[in-house]
Amino acid sequence: MEKWVCGPCGFVYDPEVGDPDSGVEPGTKFEDLPDDWVCPVCGATKDMFEKQD
């Protein structure tokens, strides 16, 4: 699964880990995150993330 990086702070969303603190289960693809999900570190919106190479 592809990892995504937050532009403002560098947080990496790893689908294999999810975001348990925000109720996102492991195995959740970035594309399947709720539209109102934000970076757990800086609060950036999904459109500020880029696929990690």
Side-chain angles (χ1 to χ4, degrees), residues 3-50:
K3 295 179 182 178
W4 290 71
V5 181
C6 179
C9 77
F11 168 80
V12 177
Y13 176 76
D14 183 347
E16 293 183 14
V17 176
D19 182 11
D21 293 340
S22 298
V24 177
E25 295 290 324
T28 303
K29 295 179 184 177
F30 185 81
E31 296 86 354
D32 295 335
L33 290 171
D35 290 338
D36 61 350
W37 181 85
V38 296
C39 175
V41 175
C42 73
T45 55
K46 285 176 62 177
D47 65 338
M48 301 192 77
F49 279 71
E50 294 183 6

